[in-house]
Amino acid sequence: MRRIQKLQLLGLITIGTLLNSCGGVPEEKSELAGEAKAFSVEEVLEMVAKENDVTRTLYTKAIVGKGKAQGMKFDEDWRKDDVEAGPLPALFLRGVATSIRKSPVPLGLYLGSDFPVNAANKFEGKQADLFEQIKKDQEPQFFYDEEQKLHTAMFADLASAGACVSCHNDHPQTAKSDWKLGDVMGATTWQYPKDSLTYKETVAVLNSYAKGTVDIYMEYLDEIDAFKESEKPEIGDKWPAEGKYLPTAEVFLDSVRKLASYETMKQLVAAK
């Protein structure tokens, strides 16, 4: 049942479906466009980064921030059998990255910082240098990683909600305990092997991110289903701002689509 629901959700959020719902373009022209190099890798990584910004902000503020105010729990060990909680924002992103890594799309995603909770996520070398510039102007940085042979894009990851600040400041392994709202806490880093992508490859990148969002949010709802000791929030069309509620995957993802997809869709239609 869950698998069927997940497939239905992917049909709701995929970029191809959004384009078709807007009329699209004649099929023959679309196929020809799919063969040409339509976008630079920088353009594509900026597109998927914007989708991610909207999704993570919605999850961080509307689910984690408001959910904590209703007594809901979020924990870095949320997957453990004896922990009844949801994923923290950084772990939500990690879940998306894991899903992408399992897909056939060669898109890399991870979150790093100069003061990470997990020492393994500390920036080094060129990325550390570029991150210093990001902290100054919050502008994305692009470079080619010669060692990995990957085009790389780094985007500022801000402390956008109180939940981010309190979690990092209070964490027992924190390397910095004076974070404030608006601080650049890290950088979301995306990687791709080619310097340009066809229209079809671009849609595949965006859809791989959409699928990752579906996967991690559905996993969170599955975790709630398995709660034995904790009170389960009511899952439906309401949000934590209204009480002990959580939106269904359909409601959450529909909100993501409405907030994130308009600018992306404009770029894709223009390319076709």
Side-chain angles (χ1 to χ4, degrees):
M1 182 64 185
R2 281 286 185 185
R3 180 172 176 78
I4 293 172
Q5 187 182 10
K6 186 181 291 185
L7 291 172
Q8 290 172 335
L9 288 171
L10 285 171
L12 284 175
I13 198 170
T14 54
I15 297 298
T17 299
L18 290 173
L19 285 170
N20 289 337
S21 69
C22 293
V25 294
E27 184 176 353
E28 184 178 352
K29 184 177 179 182
S30 177
E31 288 175 357
L32 290 173
E35 297 303 320
K37 299 297 182 181
F39 298 100
S40 69
V41 66
E42 290 85 0
E43 289 176 313
V44 175
L45 296 182
E46 280 195 290
M47 275 191 264
V48 73
K50 287 176 182 176
E51 299 270 326
N52 178 63
D53 282 346
V54 170
T55 305
R56 284 193 67 209
T57 299
L58 183 67
Y59 181 77
T60 300
K61 292 184 176 181
I63 301 294
V64 178
K66 297 297 184 181
K68 281 187 172 183
Q70 300 294 345
M72 299 180 201
K73 296 180 180 179
F74 298 86
D75 194 282
E76 62 186 323
D77 294 321
W78 70 285
R79 283 193 173 102
K80 291 185 177 180
D81 291 341
D82 60 342
V83 176
E84 297 187 345
L88 292 162
L91 299 180
F92 187 90
L93 180 71
R94 187 183 298 174
V96 175
T98 299
S99 174
I100 293 172
R101 191 162 55 246
K102 293 177 180 177
S103 79
V105 178
L107 177 68
L109 166 62
Y110 60 92
L111 183 62
S113 176
D114 53 353
F115 292 105
V117 169
N118 184 340
N121 297 328
K122 186 180 177 77
F123 284 135
E124 297 180 347
K126 186 167 187 174
Q127 282 192 285
D129 294 338
L130 292 175
F131 184 58
E132 288 301 315
Q133 185 61 39
I134 289 173
K135 288 196 294 183
K136 292 177 183 176
D137 58 20
Q138 298 185 20
E139 292 296 318
Q141 295 290 325
F142 302 93
F143 71 99
Y144 183 69
D145 188 320
E146 291 285 354
E147 184 176 340
Q148 300 185 71
K149 306 300 181 188
L150 292 170
H151 295 272
T152 305
M154 300 170 64
F155 298 88
D157 188 70
L158 304 180
S160 59
C164 303
V165 174
S166 59
C167 178
H168 280 259
N169 283 344
D170 299 339
H171 196 284
Q173 294 176 253
T174 189
K176 178 178 167 66
S177 57
D178 59 349
W179 293 107
K180 305 181 298 298
L181 277 175
D183 282 351
V184 179
M185 302 187 80
T188 306
T189 302
W190 302 83
Q191 295 181 310
Y192 197 82
K194 298 168 65 175
D195 63 0
S196 59
L197 289 78
T198 65
Y199 174 84
K200 289 180 181 178
E201 288 170 333
T202 299
V203 170
V205 163
L206 294 167
N207 284 347
S208 71
Y209 176 78
K211 181 181 182 300
T213 302
V214 171
D215 287 345
I216 188 63
Y217 194 79
M218 294 285 284
E219 188 177 350
Y220 175 31
L221 296 186
D222 285 342
E223 177 74 11
I224 290 171
D225 283 344
F227 282 4
K228 295 179 181 178
E229 305 294 333
S230 304
E231 181 185 356
K232 298 179 182 181
E234 181 181 329
I235 299 171
D237 60 359
K238 295 182 179 180
W239 294 71
E242 302 175 74
K244 198 144 191 177
Y245 304 106
L246 275 176
T248 63
E250 292 91 338
V251 172
F252 178 77
L253 294 169
D254 186 57
S255 294
V256 169
R257 183 181 65 176
K258 289 175 180 175
L259 290 168
S261 297
Y262 179 67
E263 289 300 322
T264 298
M265 189 168 59
K266 281 202 307 185
Q267 286 182 264
L268 291 172
V269 170
K272 295 181 80 173

